[in-house]
Amino acid sequence: MPLVHLLRHGHVHNPDKVLYGRLPEFRLSDIGAAMAQAVADSLVADGNRVGRVVASPLLRAQQTAAPIAKAFNLEIVTDERLIEAANVYEGEPVQSGAADFAHPRHWWRLRNPWRPSWGEPYVEQRDRMWAAITDAALANPDSETVMVSHQLPIWVARMHFEGRRFLHDPRSRECSVASLTSFEFDGATPVSMSYSEPAKHIEIPK
């Protein structure tokens, strides 16, 4: 049965603590690079049969995919559908998490959390992600595909699979950096999901 792994990219070099969104220049930190290598090493050690590596076009996703592609002697396929969610806060500093967005000047942006009004609609993220995931399962039915994407699109894909509402607290997302959210398919139908953190042992400084 095809297995599709959604891999969140590794830790990003972001000394100014901005919400980097789709900004193109953000790269992996040294820790993020070590995380990407740890995922590749784990997939090899566990005997995973990776036959395809697909990544978002953003630099941090391509860099995360690189050691996996190298480990399995594969080329990276770029899929625009795996890109980060659009967000009106892109490029703005985020020093204190969600509290930074609570100022009255932001209230109009926050008027509809169900859509959400501050960024790409959840349903659009769901549609593009599941189209990409299903295409990957059908294109590589005899082995495993690793798809490197970003936290929110991966989480939206998981919520849809689990039949959960899209409105959520971002702090509740089970999708840490360099984590794998994996779907097993029966043909074009996802039938099970698992979650793992092969780079959990690599500490991120506070």
Side-chain angles (χ1 to χ4, degrees):
M1 298 177 74
L3 191 61
V4 177
H5 306 281
L6 299 185
L7 170 60
R8 183 183 172 192
H9 62 78
H11 183 261
V12 174
H13 179 70
N14 184 17
D16 296 326
K17 296 185 178 179
V18 302
L19 196 155
Y20 37 77
R22 293 180 175 180
L23 296 174
E25 68 271 20
F26 282 86
R27 59 177 174 81
L28 293 184
S29 65
D30 291 343
I31 290 172
M35 287 178 162
Q37 187 62 55
V39 175
D41 293 344
S42 175
L43 290 168
V44 171
D46 291 345
N48 293 80
R49 297 183 305 110
V50 177
R52 198 160 183 256
V53 177
V54 187
S56 154
L58 294 177
L59 177 59
R60 59 191 185 271
Q62 295 282 321
Q63 290 177 322
T64 301
I68 300 167
K70 182 178 179 180
F72 291 92
N73 195 27
L74 299 167
E75 297 293 327
I76 299 171
V77 177
T78 299
D79 192 330
E80 295 280 347
R81 295 174 296 183
L82 300 179
I83 199 166
E84 176 65 283
N87 193 306
V88 297
Y89 293 104
E90 185 177 285
E92 296 187 16
V94 185
Q95 302 296 325
S96 306
D100 290 319
F101 305 135
H103 192 280
R105 68 176 178 273
H106 295 310
W107 287 355
W108 176 248
R109 294 176 172 180
L110 304 175
R111 65 192 181 278
N112 184 356
W114 287 270
R115 186 176 188 268
S117 53
W118 57 84
E120 181 184 9
Y122 293 130
V123 293
E124 293 182 10
Q125 295 179 58
R126 174 201 65 196
D127 291 349
R128 65 175 169 85
M129 286 295 291
W130 273 105
I133 296 165
T134 304
D135 285 352
L138 294 174
N140 190 32
D142 299 321
S143 63
E144 303 172 32
T145 301
V146 176
M147 308 184 80
V148 186
S149 187
H150 308 268
Q151 186 191 56
L152 182 54
I154 293 173
W155 186 245
V156 167
R158 174 173 170 173
M159 286 194 294
H160 175 69
F161 174 78
E162 295 178 336
R164 297 162 62 178
R165 298 175 63 193
F166 291 136
L167 180 63
H168 66 284
D169 182 342
R171 294 169 296 183
S172 70
R173 297 173 189 162
E174 187 181 37
C175 188
S176 65
V177 284
S179 62
L180 289 168
T181 301
S182 305
F183 297 96
E184 188 174 34
F185 277 76
D186 182 0
T189 304
V191 294
S192 66
M193 189 216 80
S194 61
Y195 175 80
S196 62
E197 298 180 358
K200 187 175 182 179
H201 60 285
I202 298 177
E203 186 175 352
I204 300 174
K206 300 297 184 182

